[in-house]
mmCIF file of all heavy atoms in Angstrom:
data_model
loop_
_atom_site.group_PDB
_atom_site.id
_atom_site.type_symbol
_atom_site.label_atom_id
_atom_site.label_comp_id
_atom_site.label_asym_id
_atom_site.label_seq_id
_atom_site.Cartn_x
_atom_site.Cartn_y
_atom_site.Cartn_z
ATOM 1 N N LEU A 29 -1.444 4.812 -2.290
ATOM 2 C CA LEU A 29 -1.940 5.942 -3.120
ATOM 3 C C LEU A 29 -2.436 5.470 -4.488
ATOM 4 O O LEU A 29 -3.306 6.046 -5.062
ATOM 5 C CB LEU A 29 -0.812 6.907 -3.385
ATOM 6 C CG LEU A 29 -0.530 7.947 -2.274
ATOM 7 C CD1 LEU A 29 0.634 8.861 -2.746
ATOM 8 C CD2 LEU A 29 -1.726 8.775 -2.011
ATOM 9 N N ALA A 30 -1.785 4.375 -5.005
ATOM 10 C CA ALA A 30 -2.193 3.865 -6.336
ATOM 11 C C ALA A 30 -3.619 3.423 -6.279
ATOM 12 O O ALA A 30 -4.263 3.445 -7.374
ATOM 13 C CB ALA A 30 -1.251 2.748 -6.719
ATOM 14 N N LEU A 31 -4.120 3.088 -5.088
ATOM 15 C CA LEU A 31 -5.465 2.635 -4.991
ATOM 16 C C LEU A 31 -6.449 3.645 -4.513
ATOM 17 O O LEU A 31 -7.672 3.467 -4.407
ATOM 18 C CB LEU A 31 -5.561 1.385 -4.022
ATOM 19 C CG LEU A 31 -4.729 0.128 -4.533
ATOM 20 C CD1 LEU A 31 -4.658 -0.851 -3.340
ATOM 21 C CD2 LEU A 31 -5.456 -0.509 -5.687
ATOM 22 N N ALA A 32 -5.965 4.882 -4.167
ATOM 23 C CA ALA A 32 -6.775 5.918 -3.586
ATOM 24 C C ALA A 32 -7.794 6.420 -4.637
ATOM 25 O O ALA A 32 -7.414 6.759 -5.738
ATOM 26 C CB ALA A 32 -5.893 7.065 -3.076
ATOM 27 N N PRO A 33 -9.112 6.468 -4.181
ATOM 28 C CA PRO A 33 -10.078 7.039 -5.127
ATOM 29 C C PRO A 33 -9.867 8.511 -5.439
ATOM 30 O O PRO A 33 -9.281 9.212 -4.571
ATOM 31 C CB PRO A 33 -11.413 6.839 -4.379
ATOM 32 C CG PRO A 33 -11.097 5.870 -3.254
ATOM 33 C CD PRO A 33 -9.650 6.010 -2.974
ATOM 34 N N THR A 34 -10.312 8.940 -6.627
ATOM 35 C CA THR A 34 -10.158 10.328 -6.944
ATOM 36 C C THR A 34 -10.704 11.259 -5.941
ATOM 37 O O THR A 34 -10.097 12.251 -5.600
ATOM 38 C CB THR A 34 -10.880 10.573 -8.325
ATOM 39 O OG1 THR A 34 -10.381 9.613 -9.270
ATOM 40 C CG2 THR A 34 -10.698 11.976 -8.849
ATOM 41 N N ALA A 35 -11.887 10.899 -5.407
ATOM 42 C CA ALA A 35 -12.611 11.886 -4.454
ATOM 43 C C ALA A 35 -11.681 11.962 -3.212
ATOM 44 O O ALA A 35 -11.654 13.119 -2.643
ATOM 45 C CB ALA A 35 -13.954 11.299 -4.080
ATOM 46 N N THR A 36 -11.053 10.942 -2.768
ATOM 47 C CA THR A 36 -10.217 11.020 -1.605
ATOM 48 C C THR A 36 -9.010 11.890 -1.850
ATOM 49 O O THR A 36 -8.647 12.776 -1.015
ATOM 50 C CB THR A 36 -9.746 9.624 -1.144
ATOM 51 O OG1 THR A 36 -10.883 8.774 -1.035
ATOM 52 C CG2 THR A 36 -8.966 9.673 0.169
ATOM 53 N N LYS A 37 -8.364 11.737 -3.019
ATOM 54 C CA LYS A 37 -7.248 12.596 -3.346
ATOM 55 C C LYS A 37 -7.620 14.072 -3.432
ATOM 56 O O LYS A 37 -6.952 14.980 -2.960
ATOM 57 C CB LYS A 37 -6.585 12.130 -4.684
ATOM 58 C CG LYS A 37 -5.937 10.738 -4.514
ATOM 59 C CD LYS A 37 -5.089 10.422 -5.810
ATOM 60 C CE LYS A 37 -6.005 10.057 -6.973
ATOM 61 N NZ LYS A 37 -5.210 9.503 -8.142
ATOM 62 N N ASN A 38 -8.762 14.281 -4.076
ATOM 63 C CA ASN A 38 -9.254 15.689 -4.225
ATOM 64 C C ASN A 38 -9.586 16.342 -2.871
ATOM 65 O O ASN A 38 -9.315 17.489 -2.558
ATOM 66 C CB ASN A 38 -10.447 15.785 -5.152
ATOM 67 C CG ASN A 38 -10.053 15.467 -6.580
ATOM 68 O OD1 ASN A 38 -8.860 15.429 -6.880
ATOM 69 N ND2 ASN A 38 -11.019 15.209 -7.422
ATOM 70 N N ALA A 39 -10.217 15.517 -2.005
ATOM 71 C CA ALA A 39 -10.551 16.026 -0.619
ATOM 72 C C ALA A 39 -9.245 16.309 0.127
ATOM 73 O O ALA A 39 -9.175 17.314 0.820
ATOM 74 C CB ALA A 39 -11.353 14.915 0.145
ATOM 75 N N ALA A 40 -8.239 15.547 -0.050
ATOM 76 C CA ALA A 40 -6.964 15.817 0.596
ATOM 77 C C ALA A 40 -6.390 17.147 0.051
ATOM 78 O O ALA A 40 -5.888 17.939 0.834
ATOM 79 C CB ALA A 40 -5.948 14.684 0.368
#
Side-chain angles (χ1 to χ4, degrees):
Chain A
L29 278 182
L31 296 170
T34 304
T36 306
K37 293 189 287 189
N38 291 348

